[in-house]
Amino acid sequence: MQWARPKSLSGLMLVGLGLMAVPLLAAILTALLQMRVLADTGQRIIVEGVTAARASQTLVAEIASLERTARLFNVLNDPKLLELYRYEDERLTVTRDNLRRHATAETQRTLGELGHLQTGTRFLVLSSPASTSAATVSDLSARFTQLSVLVEQVAQQSNAEVDTQVAALEAQTLHARQQLLWEAALLLPLALLAILVLAVGVGRPLRQLDRAISELGQGDFTHTIAVAGPHDLERLGRQLEWLRQRLLDLAHERNRFLRHMSHELKTPLANIREGTELLMDGAVGELDSNQREVTAILRENGIKLQRMIENLLSFSAWQTSSVGLEATEFRLRPLVKQVLENQQLTLLSQRVRLDVRVEDITLVADRGKIRLILENLVSNAVKYSPKGGTIHVRARIAGPQFILDVADSGPGIPPEDRSHIFDAFYTGRAARSTAVKGTGIGLSVVLEFVSAHSGTVEIVDGEFPGAHFRITMPIHARTGGQPVTPVAKAKAHARAA
């Protein structure tokens, strides 16, 4: 038999609570009934014990009173004493009968003997004249002594009966305790089953929702959101899937816009750069020093603008996962030299010094992307370095990997910016206060391309006064790299923090 799946989260919770509540209520009712039985039994034992004890004490007192009245009659020979004896004898009979109603068979036999002896004693007292012989007096005394012995025996038997009932009550209490323990032991698997039902029926879809929301928050729209569980949670999963599709469409629209605008900008920029190169080559006549300086500034800014457009294109292409790695073998030192030469005019104008210590490393990687990594890091260091500052560029081998350090002597990265420093289009507080503005995607591109090479980016503190970025990458990169994942971005943010 297969259970029907609850249609809602509340229905599933009711099923789980029912699995726990029904046996729990049964156990509580059983415990209440057993407690009531034990309480009634204990109360009955107490009442019967107290009644038997009082009756035994009454028998002792009444027999003593009978004996005293009989002895007084023998001495005084007063008829009133005989009437008193009859009255006290009747009271003894009533007490004996009351005690006999609740007595056991053995106690009833003893009470029967007591009744026979009482009858014989009554006949002897009422039929014998006062001041009889010593034999009669001795017989009467022996009879009363025997009555006292029988009353003591009745008291002992009553106490033994109470002890027996108390022992039976203890055994019944122990049995009830063991039964409750067994019921608790049986309730434990049912409780675990209810927890399992709730964990599977509610916990799994909630984990799916949590994972889906985390991926959406990290900008990962690649995984379809499908939630299996109660209908209301499935409906929430469908709404999240609609949101994912909407965000994915918006991301595609943004990337298409970036590609379109970047391509539209490249054409006039190419014309501007070509005209600038013609001016620098003297195609329209020789330039004087001032004209050449202005033309150099135009060329430098044209190169900067082209690099920004390339960053936008690379970022857009990488976001849509349309490109991979084109790994080739090349030497790192000439590539670093080329990147620094392209920044030469800016370095001279800022009067920034270079501290370059690059080992002669041969890499198997995407040369274009390594160049963009270096250009973005060096450009970022130039932008934040004060005039007269120093930029440090170092590269060394560490086993199967190489480590690239780029640091400046600027103000460093504020703590409040570190958690977002690798986000696209994010410009920190220090960047907004500088005269040189950027697009805010340089470090995002660095993270994308480093992660594509299975590398890591981290911010190092304490070695240099300014911002210090350290890249660790394998010397031999694998082709067909994948875009950076949200997990890699989160790790980079964690290292930055």
Side-chain angles (χ1 to χ4, degrees):
M1 180 178 179
Q2 186 176 5
W3 287 5
R5 187 179 62 183
K7 294 184 178 181
S8 63
L9 178 60
S10 59
L12 185 61
M13 293 183 67
L14 286 176
V15 171
L17 292 176
L19 288 175
M20 292 186 292
V22 171
L24 181 61
L25 289 175
I28 292 175
L29 290 176
T30 304
L32 289 175
L33 292 175
Q34 291 180 348
M35 289 177 62
R36 182 176 179 179
V37 171
L38 293 175
D40 293 342
T41 304
Q43 184 178 4
R44 179 177 56 79
I45 292 174
I46 292 174
V47 171
E48 291 180 356
V50 171
T51 301
R54 288 179 178 177
S56 299
Q57 293 176 358
T58 303
L59 284 177
V60 172
E62 290 176 347
I63 289 175
S65 179
L66 278 177
E67 184 179 5
R68 184 170 55 253
T69 302
R71 291 183 184 278
L72 286 175
F73 174 72
N74 286 332
V75 174
L76 301 178
N77 196 18
D78 187 356
K80 293 181 179 181
L81 293 175
L82 289 179
E83 293 296 329
L84 179 61
Y85 184 89
R86 290 190 183 94
Y87 173 72
E88 291 177 349
D89 185 74
E90 290 176 357
R91 287 178 56 189
L92 178 62
T93 301
V94 172
T95 303
R96 180 170 48 78
D97 291 339
N98 290 334
L99 184 60
R100 191 169 185 175
R101 292 191 187 98
H102 304 287
T104 60
E106 185 179 3
T107 305
Q108 288 180 358
R109 287 194 298 270
T110 305
L111 289 173
E113 294 178 6
L114 180 64
H116 290 302
L117 185 60
Q118 178 188 351
T119 302
T121 305
R122 180 173 63 248
F123 177 77
L124 180 63
V125 171
L126 296 179
S127 61
S128 300
S131 300
T132 56
S133 63
T136 303
V137 173
S138 177
D139 183 34
L140 186 64
S141 177
R143 285 176 176 272
F144 279 109
T145 301
Q146 190 175 359
L147 284 174
S148 299
V149 171
L150 290 176
V151 170
E152 182 66 24
Q153 187 176 354
V154 168
Q156 292 177 357
Q157 291 173 349
S158 298
N159 292 334
E161 175 62 19
V162 171
D163 293 339
T164 302
Q165 293 182 357
V166 170
L169 180 61
E170 291 180 354
Q172 188 176 0
T173 303
L174 180 60
H175 175 72
R177 184 185 304 169
Q178 292 177 349
Q179 184 176 356
L180 290 176
L181 290 176
W182 278 109
E183 290 176 355
L186 292 176
L187 278 176
L188 182 60
L190 292 176
L192 294 177
L193 178 61
I195 294 173
L196 181 62
V197 170
L198 291 176
V200 174
V202 179
R204 183 174 61 183
L206 287 180
R207 288 192 298 271
Q208 293 173 345
L209 289 173
D210 179 71
R211 182 171 60 252
I213 293 173
S214 298
E215 290 179 352
L216 291 179
Q218 294 170 355
D220 183 9
F221 311 133
T222 57
H223 299 95
T224 302
I225 299 175
V227 178
H231 287 183
D232 45 3
L233 294 182
E234 288 183 351
R235 184 170 61 253
L236 181 57
R238 289 192 296 269
Q239 292 175 346
L240 287 176
E241 173 61 16
W242 172 85
L243 178 61
R244 184 192 72 86
Q245 290 288 347
R246 182 59 179 158
L247 292 174
L248 187 59
D249 293 340
L250 291 176
H252 288 326
E253 289 293 333
R254 181 196 64 186
N255 292 329
R256 280 194 294 269
F257 172 77
L258 290 176
R259 290 197 303 271
H260 177 73
M261 291 302 298
S262 299
H263 283 292
E264 290 295 326
L265 289 174
K266 285 184 69 175
T267 300
L269 178 61
N271 295 330
I272 293 174
R273 287 202 59 192
E274 185 178 355
T276 304
E277 294 296 334
L278 289 176
L279 290 175
M280 290 292 292
D281 293 341
V284 294
E286 290 294 328
L287 303 178
D288 57 26
S289 59
N290 293 330
Q291 293 171 338
R292 184 171 291 277
E293 183 178 356
V294 172
T295 305
I297 293 175
L298 289 175
R299 185 177 66 174
E300 177 189 351
N301 284 276
I303 293 173
K304 283 184 179 180
L305 184 57
Q306 182 180 1
R307 184 164 57 249
M308 291 179 182
I309 292 174
E310 288 177 352
N311 283 341
L312 284 172
L313 285 174
S314 300
F315 178 77
S316 176
W318 203 258
Q319 286 291 308
T320 55
S321 303
S322 59
V323 295
L325 293 180
E326 297 178 0
T328 58
E329 184 175 300
F330 62 94
R331 294 171 59 198
L332 180 62
R333 184 180 290 175
L335 183 61
V336 173
K337 182 180 179 181
Q338 178 186 355
V339 170
L340 295 178
E341 286 178 351
N342 292 336
Q343 299 281 344
Q344 191 66 32
L345 290 177
T346 306
L347 294 171
L348 292 176
S349 63
Q350 293 291 109
R351 296 195 297 275
V352 175
R353 293 173 296 181
L354 291 176
D355 176 22
V356 182
R357 302 179 187 178
V358 178
E359 297 180 1
D360 192 9
I361 304 172
T362 301
L363 302 178
V364 178
D366 192 317
R367 190 177 187 278
K369 290 178 175 55
I370 298 297
R371 179 178 62 83
L372 285 175
I373 290 172
L374 289 168
E375 287 180 350
N376 280 292
L377 290 178
V378 173
S379 176
N380 188 75
V382 172
K383 181 166 59 175
Y384 291 106
S385 292
K387 290 189 176 182
T390 303
I391 294 177
H392 307 271
V393 180
R394 298 179 180 179
R396 67 183 187 276
I397 295 177
Q401 297 180 325
F402 81 95
I403 299 175
L404 174 65
D405 292 292
V406 179
D408 58 57
S409 53
I413 304 174
E416 61 269 17
D417 290 337
R418 293 196 174 192
S419 60
H420 304 286
I421 198 69
F422 294 102
D423 292 343
F425 308 105
Y426 177 81
T427 55
R429 182 178 304 176
R432 292 190 290 267
S433 63
T434 59
V436 182
K437 304 297 181 182
T439 60
I441 65 170
L443 292 179
S444 178
V445 170
V446 170
L447 175 62
E448 300 277 354
F449 291 169
V450 170
S451 299
H453 286 82
S454 301
T456 59
V457 184
E458 60 181 324
I459 298 176
V460 182
D461 293 319
E463 190 170 344
F464 296 101
H468 179 189
F469 293 92
R470 173 168 292 170
I471 295 175
T472 304
M473 293 172 51
I475 297 177
H476 297 276
R478 292 175 297 177
T479 60
Q482 298 296 324
V484 64
T485 62
V487 175
K489 187 174 289 187
K491 290 181 179 178
H493 287 171
R495 285 190 292 269

